[in-house]
Amino acid sequence: MSIIFKKSVPGRRGVRLPKCDVPASTEIPEKYRRLSDAPLVELSEIDVVRHFTELSLKNYGVDTNFYPLGSCTMKYNPKVTEKLAGMEGFASLHPLLPQLRHGDLLTQGALAALYDLEHLLREICGMDAFTLQPMAGAHGELTAMMIFAAYHNKKGNKKSEVLIPDESHGTNPSSAAIAGYEVKPVPTNRETGALDLEALRQKIGEQTAALMLTNPNTLGIFNSDVDKITEIAHKYDAQVYYDGANLNAVLGKFRPGDADFDAVHVNLHKTFGTPHGGGGPGSGPVGVKKHLVDFLPISRIVKRDDATYALDYNYPDSIGYIAPFYGNFSVCLKAYIYILLLGAEGLIEVSENAVLNANYILHSLKKEYDVPYLRTCMHECVLSAKKQVENGVHALDIAKALIDRGFHPPTTYFPLIVKEALMIEPTETESKETLDAFISAMKDIAEKAASNPDELHKAPVTTPVSRLDETLAVKSMNLVFPLDVNE
Ligand SMILES: *Cc1c(COP(=O)(O)O)cnc(C)c1O
């Protein structure tokens, strides 16, 4: 066996490969050669097909079952976005290709798509500029906190704290802390389920660098006082951040820019057609108002005078690189296709159906389950297993019992401020039949909790692996089990 490197590529005269040190003979020396054939397993095609098909069926996903995991927005994503994003000209594009000026050549189409997506997001969110670089929601939060820090440093502001509501997603305090700020929680008003304005007034001050707000928040409640909140914060030059992971609830209804938010991130993978799970891939573009544009990460996409596109690195105040090349390109591309396919009216319908479906579930289950904040919810609703706990049945038992009934459990024990929380997000893509089947499973479980609670403690019984020993897991793994938070 020999490997030939020295000849030029056949049929292409003039092509010369770079010189490299190839030994005169590339024959494998005698002592390294096999004496007999390798005992490789041989399988027929059908056996291989069956093996991989069986593996694929073990996978639980949106394409197989209802997946109402609150806050995570596990919605069905149209296959057409995959198909278009997989086109050769996009999928085979190398990130190091030069940005040519010749109209339709190589990178120009990709750059045009990204440039266009930035502008669509600007319009959807009411912001002045966007970067598509951040690779996830949490990454977007960190990017924005770094932008805020750069803004305060440039102005000579001495700021040390970031205020965050106590119901917020855990990534918020992490991002603020990684950016070097001290995190101060602000309580939620127990009556309204929204940020407590009085508490905010007491906590905010010259030391406040930023306030991070999720709206609708993780209780699924829309805070209509946001313009008052941004006004209070701006008195101290505190920057207000809109965690737009849940933008799927307000598309075409509310724009964070109009309520004077300074920066926002959007989870493309929860709002537009980009499937996610298992930790990725995602994309968390960040939008900012004019006074923060100079601090955006590099590179940025620019449109030249001759209408061609390029990546520009010349922004001296930029926070610098936060991702290699240009973000999660294929995820951005799928979101772009999704937005173009649905158009403005389609996007409004997405949010209307997401909100309708969540309210349908909330009101269908409000008799059987405790509802800590009973009011119109947005894209998700939060129930509590408080009533079932009287019979010794916890949120965890209900989640496991749902697995036996063919459903992915909702998010449990989050938000932390609700005891025995069950956070349900049906998303806009589910039919009434699916919602009804889920509701009847939940009613059945509530009935079992009253008549035969022990049965629920054994769930799941239909899966190959039964319930894990949570106590052992906590002890041996040194994990903090969320149940303790509520006790
Ligand atoms: C999902 C989510 C995030 C984090 O997004 P990732 O892409 O998972 O990093 C942040 N805030 C809220 C409210 C979320 O729902």
Side-chain angles (χ1 to χ4, degrees):
M1 187 169 75
S2 68
I3 306 162
I4 300 164
F5 274 124
K6 282 185 252 170
K7 284 186 189 153
S8 61
V9 178
R12 279 215 251 156
R13 273 202 286 153
V15 175
R16 288 178 63 181
L17 294 174
K19 265 186 153 181
C20 51
D21 292 333
V22 180
S25 166
T26 50
E27 290 258 304
I28 293 172
E30 191 67 40
K31 60 179 176 178
Y32 295 129
R33 291 195 212 164
R34 281 192 184 287
L35 299 175
S36 58
D37 285 345
L40 297 177
V41 181
E42 283 193 28
L43 289 167
S44 65
E45 181 175 310
I46 178 81
D47 287 335
V48 175
V49 168
R50 280 185 189 150
H51 172 70
F52 284 107
T53 305
E54 201 183 308
L55 281 185
S56 78
L57 293 175
K58 288 199 164 109
N59 210 6
Y60 190 104
V62 177
D63 286 359
T64 60
N65 299 67
F66 185 46
Y67 205 138
L69 197 62
S71 198
C72 295
T73 321
M74 304 301 288
K75 68 182 193 178
Y76 176 74
N77 292 276
K79 297 285 172 268
V80 63
T81 59
E82 300 283 341
K83 193 168 175 200
L84 294 176
M87 283 165 65
E88 187 68 15
F90 289 130
S92 304
L93 203 58
H94 195 282
L96 285 178
L97 276 171
Q99 302 141 46
L100 299 178
R101 280 182 180 268
H102 308 295
D104 57 355
L105 271 179
L106 301 171
T107 56
Q108 283 300 306
L111 290 173
L114 295 175
Y115 184 86
D116 235 21
L117 175 61
E118 277 187 16
H119 282 71
L120 289 167
L121 292 175
R122 270 160 70 163
E123 193 182 328
I124 290 168
C125 297
M127 304 304 282
D128 294 322
F130 254 92
T131 172
L132 304 177
Q133 302 264 17
M135 303 270 196
H139 196 198
E141 294 166 23
L142 177 62
T143 302
M145 290 307 116
M146 289 164 68
I147 290 172
F148 288 169
Y151 164 82
H152 288 309
N153 284 343
K154 177 123 194 185
K155 280 185 85 176
N157 290 347
K158 295 269 175 286
K159 305 280 194 183
S160 55
E161 290 176 8
V162 172
L163 299 180
I164 300 177
D166 58 0
E167 47 66 35
S168 83
H169 199 272
T171 49
N172 287 191
S174 315
S175 301
I178 294 173
Y181 289 110
E182 210 174 307
V183 174
K184 289 277 152 79
V186 188
T188 301
N189 185 302
R190 299 288 146 159
E191 302 273 288
T192 61
L195 183 80
D196 193 291
L197 272 187
E198 232 4 85
L200 173 66
R201 284 199 184 92
Q202 281 166 21
K203 298 232 166 180
I204 203 161
E206 291 302 335
Q207 76 287 0
T208 311
L211 165 68
M212 298 178 87
L213 213 67
T214 309
N215 199 26
N217 66 14
T218 61
L219 294 164
I221 289 173
F222 186 81
N223 186 336
S224 40
D225 276 341
V226 277
D227 45 352
K228 279 189 209 138
I229 293 174
T230 51
E231 199 186 323
I232 295 170
H234 285 152
K235 282 194 192 126
Y236 301 93
D237 203 11
Q239 300 296 289
V240 197
Y241 183 70
Y242 182 89
D243 177 330
N246 300 333
L247 201 75
N248 66 321
V250 293
L251 291 169
K253 304 281 179 187
F254 166 77
R255 305 197 315 163
D258 297 340
D260 241 1
F261 281 90
D262 302 287
V264 43
H265 93 258
V266 184
N267 274 20
L268 295 187
H269 49 290
K270 292 181 186 172
T271 305
F272 307 112
T274 68
H276 69 290
S283 175
V286 166
V288 294
K289 284 288 177 61
K290 271 201 188 69
H291 63 287
L292 298 172
V293 171
D294 290 347
F295 307 107
L296 284 172
I298 48 172
S299 56
R300 290 174 49 197
I301 302 168
V302 292
K303 195 171 184 175
R304 301 181 183 115
D305 291 342
D306 62 359
T308 60
Y309 301 88
L311 294 176
D312 193 352
Y313 296 81
N314 190 21
Y315 296 94
D317 281 339
S318 163
I319 59 166
Y321 291 97
I322 55 142
F325 302 114
Y326 199 84
N328 248 340
F329 173 60
S330 73
V331 179
C332 295
L333 196 55
K334 282 181 238 176
Y336 176 57
I337 296 162
Y338 182 87
I339 294 171
L340 292 185
L341 281 172
L342 289 182
E345 284 180 14
L347 291 183
I348 292 172
E349 243 181 275
V350 162
S351 287
E352 288 179 349
N353 286 329
V355 171
L356 180 65
N357 285 354
N359 277 285
Y360 183 64
I361 288 183
L362 176 69
H363 290 277
S364 304
L365 293 174
K366 68 184 173 193
K367 266 212 252 48
E368 287 78 7
Y369 292 88
D370 179 69
V371 182
Y373 296 94
L374 185 56
R375 45 185 286 186
T376 305
C377 67
M378 298 299 283
H379 60 304
E380 62 198 1
C381 61
V382 178
L383 308 178
S384 159
K386 242 164 111 181
K387 285 186 194 172
Q388 287 71 30
V389 167
E390 288 166 19
N391 291 325
V393 172
H394 290 264
L396 185 75
D397 301 312
I398 294 166
K400 302 292 185 194
L402 274 169
I403 297 174
D404 281 339
R405 287 158 179 80
F407 298 101
H408 194 284
T411 298
T412 53
Y413 301 100
F414 183 81
L416 299 177
I417 59 170
V418 172
K419 276 193 173 193
E420 296 288 334
L422 292 158
M423 185 196 216
I424 302 165
E425 180 173 8
T427 81
E428 71 278 4
T429 43
E430 299 300 332
S431 67
K432 182 166 178 296
E433 287 73 20
T434 302
L435 300 183
D436 284 338
F438 174 75
I439 289 162
S440 84
M442 286 291 284
K443 285 185 174 176
D444 178 46
I445 293 168
E447 194 275 310
K448 286 274 158 19
S451 64
N452 190 1
D454 251 4
E455 189 184 311
L456 299 179
H457 294 142
K458 295 191 191 96
V461 293
T462 56
T463 52
V465 181
S466 56
R467 197 185 298 203
L468 297 173
D469 184 339
E470 314 270 357
T471 319
L472 183 71
V474 173
K475 280 189 179 154
S476 57
M477 304 284 291
N478 207 11
L479 294 172
V480 180
F481 187 54
L483 257 179
D484 295 340
V485 176
N486 292 325
E487 298 309 322

